[in-house]
């Protein structure tokens, strides 16, 4: 499968067309951004880790009945995926208070919820990806009510599958962001990536942050944290 014209370059990935109009190639970069692009940097080796981690997690999810865009890993940094039109919503699931939740509500980071929460942000860089009430997403026709119901139930299922898997790796899944897309026939599938860029992952015993918060908060050891999460995933995947 050959990379043809570049369609898009985002903060962490490039996307290319292929000779099959239904398939795209995603290439993961080492570039990191935070706070809506205000903070920029490089996390050496991140692209390789995020590519391989996301692919393994998506395969695990598809075995559990969640349709995903993953087709085949092509190289360390490149993956073949199904072409979708992205639903312009970031779907965030939280198990423990952190990040913008803690900030908005003044809640201590680490407060454990009785049940997971789901929220949406409008995927719009110019507006800074604002939090969006579900009714507003429907009013804006970002998706239909049936699509929203499906997205919400997929997101909760993803949380169950990934929380269990990360727990088996000695890691607590604090929160994460998903993106969904539509195939030509209208089917909703999971797209984008699942990685320490898009999840908060804490060591189950020490609480050490093993995700992009190390970059956001200048905690140091960013590369080591990504590598640590990947090592734990690989030893559990192979077990
Ligand atoms: N997240 C993401 N992309 C975004 C915003 C959030 O991947 O544009 C992830 C983030 O890494 C965390 C979860 O979604 O795992 C919840 O993020 P939050 O809303 O707390 O925002 P943040 O603190 O990252 O600004």
């Amino acid at each position: 499968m050959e990379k043809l014209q570049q369609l898009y370059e985002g903060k962490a990935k490039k996307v290319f067309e292929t000779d099959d109009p239904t398939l795209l190639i995603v290439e993961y970069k080492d570039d990191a951004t935070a706070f809506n692009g205000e903070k920029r940097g490089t996390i050496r080796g991140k692209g390789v880790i995020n590519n391989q981690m996301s692919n393994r997690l998506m395969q695990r999810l598809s075995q559990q009945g969640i349709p995903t865009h993953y087709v085949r890993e092509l190289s360390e940094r490149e993956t073949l995926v199904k072409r979708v039109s992205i639903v312009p919503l970031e779907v965030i699931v939280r198990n423990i208070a952190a990040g913008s939740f803690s900030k908005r509500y003044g809640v201590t980071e680490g407060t454990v919820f009785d049940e997971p929460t789901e929220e949406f942000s409008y995927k719009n860089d110019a507006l800074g990806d604002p939090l969006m009430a579900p009714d507003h997403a429907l009013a804006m026709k970002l998706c239909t009510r049936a699509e929203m119901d499906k997205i919400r139930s997929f997101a909760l299922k993803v949380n169950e599958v990934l929380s269990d898997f990360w727990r088996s790796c000695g890691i607590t899944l604090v929160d994460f962001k998903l993106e969904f897309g539509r195939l030509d026939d209208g089917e909703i599938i999971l797209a984008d990536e699942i990685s320490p860029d898009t999840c908060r992952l804490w060591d189950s015993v020490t609480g050490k942050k093993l995700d992009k918060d190390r970059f956001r908060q200048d905690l140091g050891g960013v590369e080591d944290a990504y590598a640590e999460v990947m090592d734990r995933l690989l030893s559990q995947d192979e077990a």
Side-chain angles (χ1 to χ4, degrees):
M1 194 57 67
E2 210 188 323
K3 273 196 219 162
L4 299 177
Q5 180 163 324
Q6 182 174 313
L7 264 190
Y8 166 83
E9 175 160 7
K11 292 169 206 148
K13 298 187 280 291
K14 294 180 184 175
V15 180
F16 298 87
E17 292 190 303
T18 67
D19 53 22
D20 181 334
T22 69
L23 298 175
L24 299 175
I25 292 173
V26 177
E27 181 186 323
Y28 286 75
K29 306 189 289 183
D30 287 349
D31 299 354
T33 63
F35 312 119
N36 204 22
E38 268 172 56
K39 181 180 170 81
R40 286 163 189 279
T42 301
I43 302 175
R44 203 175 297 274
K46 170 171 87 78
V48 173
I49 289 175
N50 285 8
N51 181 41
Q52 296 174 352
M53 188 180 298
S54 189
N55 291 343
R56 283 167 185 264
L57 295 175
M58 293 245 182
Q59 284 173 271
R60 192 167 279 275
L61 290 169
S62 80
Q63 285 162 8
Q64 300 297 319
I66 312 245
T68 82
H69 73 163
Y70 173 76
V71 177
R72 186 165 80 245
E73 195 166 287
L74 299 176
S75 74
E76 275 193 329
R77 288 178 187 273
E78 295 166 313
T79 294
L80 190 65
V81 299
K82 293 181 186 167
R83 184 178 200 143
V84 293
S85 82
I86 287 283
V87 176
L89 288 172
E90 297 194 339
V91 184
I92 292 169
V93 179
R94 303 177 190 272
N95 297 302
I96 297 177
S100 68
F101 185 99
S102 290
K103 195 163 172 233
R104 180 175 309 114
Y105 301 120
V107 174
T108 310
E109 184 178 82
T111 305
V112 180
F113 303 148
D114 289 344
E115 286 182 57
T117 68
E118 281 188 300
E119 75 197 45
F120 298 110
S121 292
Y122 179 29
K123 228 177 109 61
N124 183 317
D125 277 338
L127 298 176
D129 298 340
L131 185 67
M132 186 174 246
D135 275 352
H136 294 179
L138 296 176
M140 298 264 297
K141 298 196 189 301
L142 304 185
C143 60
T144 66
R145 192 176 290 276
E147 286 174 334
M148 182 169 287
D149 290 347
K150 182 154 268 187
I151 286 170
R152 294 180 81 130
S153 73
F154 281 158
L156 287 181
K157 176 76 178 172
V158 169
N159 186 45
E160 283 173 23
V161 173
L162 294 187
S163 290
D164 285 352
F165 175 66
W166 284 123
R167 192 177 302 116
S168 76
C169 301
I171 290 172
T172 302
L173 178 60
V174 174
D175 60 30
F176 58 93
K177 184 262 302 180
L178 300 176
E179 294 182 25
F180 291 86
R182 287 181 202 95
L183 294 173
D184 276 346
D185 66 2
E187 190 192 353
I188 293 282
I189 67 173
L190 182 61
D192 196 48
E193 67 175 286
I194 307 175
S195 72
D197 275 13
T198 65
C199 301
R200 286 196 170 90
L201 302 166
W202 294 354
D203 182 281
S204 303
V205 175
T206 64
K208 184 181 173 187
K209 294 178 177 171
L210 299 171
D211 56 57
K212 201 166 108 177
D213 271 351
R214 301 205 74 81
F215 169 78
R216 293 189 188 98
Q217 300 169 8
D218 293 315
L219 297 176
V222 188
E223 281 88 356
D224 288 349
Y226 278 63
E228 164 92 35
V229 172
M230 189 65 195
D231 283 349
R232 292 205 209 174
L233 177 149
L234 288 176
S235 37
Q236 200 55 32
D237 243 5
E238 278 145 24

